[in-house]
Amino acid sequence: MLAFDERPPLAVRSGRGMELMLEDGREVLDAGSLSANLLGHCHPALVEAVMSAARTVYVNDATGYAPRARAAEDFLAIAFSEEPWAAAVVFTLSSSEAADLALTLAQMLTGRRPLVGRELGYHGATGLGREVSSHPLWSHGLLADTDVTLPPSSSMIRQLPVPRCGLADLDPSHDCMATCLQGATETLRGAAAVIIDNGQAGVITSAAYQDALASAAADAGALWIADETVSGLGRIGRMFAFQRGRSRPDMVTLGKGLTGSAAPGGALVLSAGVVEAIGGRKWMTTSTFRGHPVTVAAISAAMKTIEGDRLIDAAAAHGARLRERLAVVAARHSIVRRLKGDGIMWFMELTASPEHQEEIWRGGGEALPITALVQARALARGVLIGVYSGTLIWLIPPLIATAGQLDEVVDALDGALGEVSAGLGSSPGSGS
Ligand SMILES: Cc1ncc(COP(=O)(O)O)c(C=O)c1O
């Protein structure tokens, strides 16, 4: 995420729970060091599990290993306890790899090539997950200084528009197919799959959107892949974002908090229908470190911690309080254009200068985006808040946060927004 001559805004020495110890001696609350940090830093149960696995053995996923099988069982029994249609899981190295596998599998099962994502979506840095990603910040990279406006992508990729009900809370009875999913029937025709996440670009789709899209995909014979990399495992106050709707996906991709970030790892979950479609055939696919002992130990420990400490309930309770408090903060500062979130994942869109707009900014440039200014002011107040882009602040504290810690985060953000607003004077959009 950096240019060669840039230095990161902070250097971390260690972390415990929600706290980060910085190289310069400061201790700050972590509400923004990437969304994988679901269970806080160095959770004792995860550290213990990972250390014990590291002392045991290395085997790859073509070799039988009981803790891997147990991790799959723990994962399906806990995360998918209310979802009996989820029949199988493949552990991967990352969510990018899970997306690539899911999209490849969809192409093979349907015999079709076209893949559908949504504008400003992101599903991974490699393979088909990268192909179907369109957010300029994460996908267009070094094209910033050229006349080329699209990532190197193939003609089989199609995009749905950014859904209006994903940006703001619309009346739940709105006609989603006509407003947010305009043209979807045509876009999905002949496609192998559609992959949709919740979170990228501050878009959190409504239950109505999900159900309308799922039904349109089924009508078109396209598989629906729910990318729950960020939204899954409690972050939005329930186990998965798709549980807000009635429909259920054909596949789910996961990563980030799956291992409590104690080890790298991702997962691809297959519905019973997909497992049945594969049938007795053998799908030869492997990768050296898939299902690594350290990763599967972390997955089992993370699942048991989420369940044992009732962290989904905690996230829902935190969500209710954050909704109230952040709405007050958003209303107080005119530079806040939009607030969207749930549970412990909140986005604040700020009035930013034209060069930093979501649809065009690819990182870099002369002026610091307004979001970086707010982040710096919050850091000075002892809180690391997340920056998603040039326009979006991203609060992603861990599930283990206390109400008091979250109050500190909101207070720091409030103060930082006030300082930046004052510094910008009457022209908040100038962004410098
Ligand atoms: C929604 C979403 N999908 C997929 C990915 C890719 O995950 P990974 O970095 O584990 O490859 C990310 C990563 O940021 C993500 O946010």
Side-chain angles (χ1 to χ4, degrees), residues 102-103 106-107 110 114-117 188 191-195 221-225 251:
L103 293 162
Q107 288 180 324
T110 60
L115 300 170
V116 180
L188 289 165
V194 54
I195 183 165
L223 299 181
W224 164 32
I225 302 163
M251 294 186 244

Side-chain angles (χ1 to χ4, degrees), residues 252-269:
V252 183
T253 56
L254 286 157
K256 297 197 185 278
L258 175 70
T259 58
S261 61
L268 168 61
V269 176

Side-chain angles (χ1 to χ4, degrees), residues 35 93-97 122-125 197-198 200 227 229-230 255-256 265 394:
S35 47
L93 304 185
S94 65
S95 186
S96 296
E97 195 194 19
Y122 177 76
H123 304 286
D197 79 286
N198 278 284
Q200 293 297 318
D227 179 346
T229 310
V230 173
K256 297 197 185 278
W394 195 14

Side-chain angles (χ1 to χ4, degrees), residues 21 144 248 266:
M21 277 54 87
R248 290 296 179 264

Side-chain angles (χ1 to χ4, degrees), residues 10-31 41 375-385 405 408-409 412:
L10 79 173
V12 169
R13 181 183 303 153
S14 61
R16 283 291 173 283
M18 196 175 161
E19 279 164 17
L20 283 178
M21 277 54 87
L22 306 187
E23 283 293 356
D24 63 13
R26 279 179 297 168
E27 292 186 7
V28 300
L29 279 182
D30 182 2
H41 297 281
Q375 185 185 47
R377 301 297 173 110
L379 198 60
R381 290 166 173 264
V383 172
L384 175 64
I385 59 165
Q405 287 173 321
E408 278 183 57
V409 170

Side-chain angles (χ1 to χ4, degrees), residues 194-247:
V194 54
I195 183 165
I196 296 288
D197 79 286
N198 278 284
Q200 293 297 318
V203 173
I204 302 179
T205 61
S206 69
Y209 177 90
Q210 168 184 314
D211 290 339
L213 178 62
S215 143
D219 289 349
L223 299 181
W224 164 32
I225 302 163
D227 179 346
E228 294 269 1
T229 310
V230 173
S231 55
L233 302 169
R235 194 161 278 290
I236 66 154
R238 53 177 76 222
M239 191 59 91
F240 295 110
F242 66 69
Q243 289 172 327
R244 293 168 312 159
R246 288 187 312 277
S247 48

Side-chain angles (χ1 to χ4, degrees), residues 173-191:
S173 65
H174 73 281
D175 182 352
C176 218
M177 208 57 206
T179 45
C180 313
L181 279 162
Q182 240 180 23
T185 307
E186 190 50 40
T187 308
L188 289 165
R189 186 164 296 137

